[in-house]
Amino acid sequence: GNSVTQMEGPVTLSEEAFLTINCTYTATGYPSLFWYVQYPGEGLQLLLKATKADDKGSNKGFEATYRKETTSFHLEKGSVQVSDSAVYFCALLYSSASKIIFGSGTRLSIRP
Amino acid sequence: DAGVTQSPTHLIKTRGQQVTLRCSPKSGHDTVSWYQQALGQGPQFIFQYYEEEERQRGNFPDRFSGHQFPNYSSELNVNALLLGDSALYLCASSQDRSYEQYFGPGTRLTVT
């Protein structure tokens, strides 16, 4: 079946460090891929998306590229800030099915 | 625009009781999806409502039921509560078949 596997956390980095959170997926066909972020005590916010192979989603300094050949959608940021501390979820969606399948989440903590 | 709103924010119930959670979608959205997020896990799809009917359902027992009203708002009902139903319940709204779902802040349900 369709699934998403993402890097286990927690991940702890110092401010201004480079961030990578790995995400791979298993799916038939061509799903849309997403990264959602959940700040403490809040609901999910869409961080970025890519709807077809080789698309690059970007937002707030974060980037992820839809790699069909490796079925991956790794999240990267060149210089993290304390305010980036949150839980990050990789997810996929088939528009025809309309339900989002989430990974288990990666907790990110940034030290000042 | 108020975005997606959910009520109540927190709820404590006893095993065997019944609970109703409410969701108002973002303005212009006609589709509502419900997700259960257990502590430390990614959200799991419960079901989706469109045109006042359940369009899709995830792997949840019949104790979980829902309703959508003509104004597109929705309710999630859970009967015969179990300790394992303790979770954050998230509502997401979208336009029909759109890949972009907007999440509310969630209702934290604790079953004792």
Side-chain angles (χ1 to χ4, degrees), chain B residues 2-83:
Chain B
V4 180
T5 60
Q6 293 186 243
S7 63
T9 305
H10 296 89
L11 203 51
I12 300 175
K13 290 287 189 178
T14 304
R15 274 178 298 176
Q17 286 188 317
Q18 179 265 342
V19 68
T20 298
L21 311 181
R22 295 177 176 83
C23 172
S24 292
K26 184 177 168 65
S27 178
H29 287 183
D30 55 12
T31 303
V32 173
S33 304
W34 287 92
Y35 294 81
Q36 180 195 67
Q37 185 180 12
L39 197 61
Q41 300 296 316
Q44 299 291 316
F45 176 78
I46 302 174
F47 43 53
Q48 183 180 87
Y49 277 83
Y50 172 70
E51 290 190 341
E52 302 181 49
E53 292 195 358
E54 184 183 290
R55 177 158 68 180
Q56 257 202 100
R57 189 178 184 91
N59 295 324
F60 280 81
D62 292 345
R63 297 186 298 109
F64 289 77
S65 64
H67 189 76
Q68 186 179 34
F69 298 94
N71 67 353
Y72 307 118
S73 66
S74 177
E75 289 183 348
L76 164 65
N77 301 293
V78 187
N79 294 324
L81 285 166
L82 304 173
L83 294 179

Side-chain angles (χ1 to χ4, degrees), chain A residues 6 13 18 20 24 33 44-45 62-63 73 80 93 95 99 104 106:
Chain A
Q6 64 182 101
L13 297 172
F18 183 85
T20 299
T24 58
L33 300 175
L44 294 168
Q45 298 178 25
F62 290 90
E63 293 183 340
F73 193 55
V80 293
L93 170 71
S95 60
K99 68 175 183 180
S104 57
T106 302

